[in-house]
Short mmCIF file of all heavy atoms in Angstrom, two decimals:
data_model
loop_
_atom_site.label_atom_id
_atom_site.label_comp_id
_atom_site.label_asym_id
_atom_site.label_seq_id
_atom_site.Cartn_x
_atom_site.Cartn_y
_atom_site.Cartn_z
N ASN A 39 -21.47 3.94 29.18
CA ASN A 39 -21.82 3.77 30.59
C ASN A 39 -20.97 2.68 31.24
O ASN A 39 -20.46 2.85 32.35
CB ASN A 39 -23.31 3.43 30.73
CG ASN A 39 -24.20 4.60 30.38
OD1 ASN A 39 -23.82 5.76 30.55
ND2 ASN A 39 -25.40 4.31 29.89
N SER A 41 -18.08 1.59 30.17
CA SER A 41 -16.69 2.04 30.17
C SER A 41 -16.43 2.95 31.36
O SER A 41 -15.44 2.78 32.08
CB SER A 41 -16.38 2.80 28.87
OG SER A 41 -15.06 3.27 28.88
N SER A 43 -18.03 3.12 34.17
CA SER A 43 -18.13 2.34 35.40
C SER A 43 -16.85 1.54 35.65
O SER A 43 -16.33 1.50 36.77
CB SER A 43 -19.33 1.41 35.33
OG SER A 43 -19.40 0.58 36.48
N SER A 47 -13.94 1.87 38.68
CA SER A 47 -13.57 0.72 39.52
C SER A 47 -12.08 0.44 39.44
O SER A 47 -11.41 0.22 40.46
CB SER A 47 -14.35 -0.52 39.08
OG SER A 47 -15.74 -0.36 39.26
N ASP A 68 0.90 4.34 21.90
CA ASP A 68 2.12 3.53 21.87
C ASP A 68 2.15 2.65 23.12
O ASP A 68 2.48 3.09 24.21
CB ASP A 68 3.34 4.43 21.83
CG ASP A 68 4.65 3.65 21.77
OD1 ASP A 68 4.60 2.41 21.62
OD2 ASP A 68 5.72 4.28 21.88
N PRO A 84 -16.96 -1.06 17.06
CA PRO A 84 -17.06 -0.41 15.75
C PRO A 84 -15.75 -0.61 14.97
O PRO A 84 -14.67 -0.52 15.54
CB PRO A 84 -17.26 1.07 16.11
CG PRO A 84 -17.67 1.08 17.55
CD PRO A 84 -17.04 -0.12 18.18
N GLU A 97 0.23 -9.62 14.88
CA GLU A 97 0.95 -9.25 13.66
C GLU A 97 2.04 -8.21 13.96
O GLU A 97 3.12 -8.24 13.38
CB GLU A 97 -0.04 -8.70 12.63
CG GLU A 97 0.57 -8.28 11.31
CD GLU A 97 -0.46 -7.66 10.39
OE1 GLU A 97 -1.62 -8.11 10.41
OE2 GLU A 97 -0.10 -6.72 9.65
N ASP A 99 3.56 -7.97 16.75
CA ASP A 99 4.44 -8.56 17.76
C ASP A 99 4.29 -7.85 19.11
O ASP A 99 5.26 -7.67 19.83
CB ASP A 99 5.90 -8.52 17.30
CG ASP A 99 6.77 -9.51 18.08
OD1 ASP A 99 6.23 -10.54 18.54
OD2 ASP A 99 7.98 -9.25 18.23
N MET A 120 -9.23 -17.44 22.30
CA MET A 120 -8.40 -18.24 23.21
C MET A 120 -7.22 -18.87 22.49
O MET A 120 -6.11 -18.94 23.03
CB MET A 120 -9.26 -19.32 23.88
CG MET A 120 -10.40 -18.77 24.73
SD MET A 120 -9.89 -17.57 26.01
CE MET A 120 -9.09 -18.68 27.19
N LYS A 121 -7.44 -19.31 21.25
CA LYS A 121 -6.35 -19.89 20.48
C LYS A 121 -5.26 -18.86 20.20
O LYS A 121 -4.08 -19.20 20.10
CB LYS A 121 -6.87 -20.46 19.16
CG LYS A 121 -7.53 -21.83 19.27
CD LYS A 121 -7.87 -22.39 17.91
CE LYS A 121 -8.41 -23.81 18.01
NZ LYS A 121 -8.75 -24.36 16.66
N ILE A 141 -7.39 -9.58 35.46
CA ILE A 141 -6.49 -8.43 35.30
C ILE A 141 -5.24 -8.60 36.14
O ILE A 141 -4.11 -8.36 35.67
CB ILE A 141 -7.22 -7.12 35.66
CG1 ILE A 141 -8.24 -6.77 34.56
CG2 ILE A 141 -6.23 -5.97 35.87
CD1 ILE A 141 -9.16 -5.63 34.91
N TYR A 151 7.06 -11.15 31.95
CA TYR A 151 7.58 -11.10 30.58
C TYR A 151 8.61 -9.98 30.44
O TYR A 151 9.68 -10.16 29.85
CB TYR A 151 6.43 -10.89 29.60
CG TYR A 151 6.86 -10.61 28.18
CD1 TYR A 151 7.38 -11.62 27.38
CD2 TYR A 151 6.75 -9.32 27.64
CE1 TYR A 151 7.79 -11.36 26.07
CE2 TYR A 151 7.16 -9.06 26.35
CZ TYR A 151 7.68 -10.08 25.57
OH TYR A 151 8.09 -9.81 24.29
N ARG A 154 11.88 -10.91 31.98
CA ARG A 154 12.65 -11.81 31.12
C ARG A 154 13.32 -11.05 29.98
O ARG A 154 14.47 -11.33 29.63
CB ARG A 154 11.74 -12.92 30.56
CG ARG A 154 11.24 -13.90 31.60
CD ARG A 154 10.67 -15.15 30.96
NE ARG A 154 9.53 -14.87 30.11
CZ ARG A 154 8.27 -14.82 30.53
NH1 ARG A 154 7.99 -15.01 31.82
NH2 ARG A 154 7.28 -14.59 29.68
N LYS A 167 30.80 -7.92 25.64
CA LYS A 167 32.12 -7.50 26.14
C LYS A 167 33.22 -8.45 25.68
O LYS A 167 34.40 -8.08 25.69
CB LYS A 167 32.11 -7.45 27.67
CG LYS A 167 31.23 -6.38 28.28
CD LYS A 167 31.36 -6.40 29.81
CE LYS A 167 30.54 -5.30 30.45
NZ LYS A 167 30.70 -5.30 31.94
N ALA A 169 35.61 -10.67 23.33
CA ALA A 169 36.18 -10.67 21.98
C ALA A 169 35.72 -11.94 21.26
O ALA A 169 35.29 -12.91 21.91
CB ALA A 169 37.71 -10.63 22.07
N ARG A 173 34.48 -15.41 22.98
CA ARG A 173 33.09 -15.89 22.87
C ARG A 173 33.08 -17.33 22.38
O ARG A 173 32.23 -18.13 22.84
CB ARG A 173 32.31 -15.00 21.91
CG ARG A 173 30.84 -15.40 21.75
CD ARG A 173 30.11 -15.38 23.10
NE ARG A 173 28.80 -15.96 23.00
CZ ARG A 173 27.68 -15.27 22.74
NH1 ARG A 173 27.74 -13.95 22.55
NH2 ARG A 173 26.52 -15.86 22.68
N LEU A 179 32.64 -23.95 26.42
CA LEU A 179 32.62 -24.32 27.83
C LEU A 179 31.19 -24.52 28.34
O LEU A 179 30.91 -25.48 29.06
CB LEU A 179 33.34 -23.26 28.67
CG LEU A 179 34.85 -23.11 28.43
CD1 LEU A 179 35.40 -21.95 29.25
CD2 LEU A 179 35.58 -24.40 28.76
N ALA A 183 32.25 -28.61 26.95
CA ALA A 183 33.61 -28.96 26.52
C ALA A 183 34.61 -28.72 27.65
O ALA A 183 34.51 -27.73 28.39
CB ALA A 183 34.01 -28.14 25.29
#
Side-chain angles (χ1 to χ4, degrees):
N39 291 331
S41 179
S43 176
S47 296
D68 182 7
E97 180 184 325
D99 199 28
M120 298 306 287
K121 280 186 175 180
I141 288 171
Y151 171 74
R154 292 195 299 272
K167 293 182 177 181
R173 181 58 189 268
L179 294 176

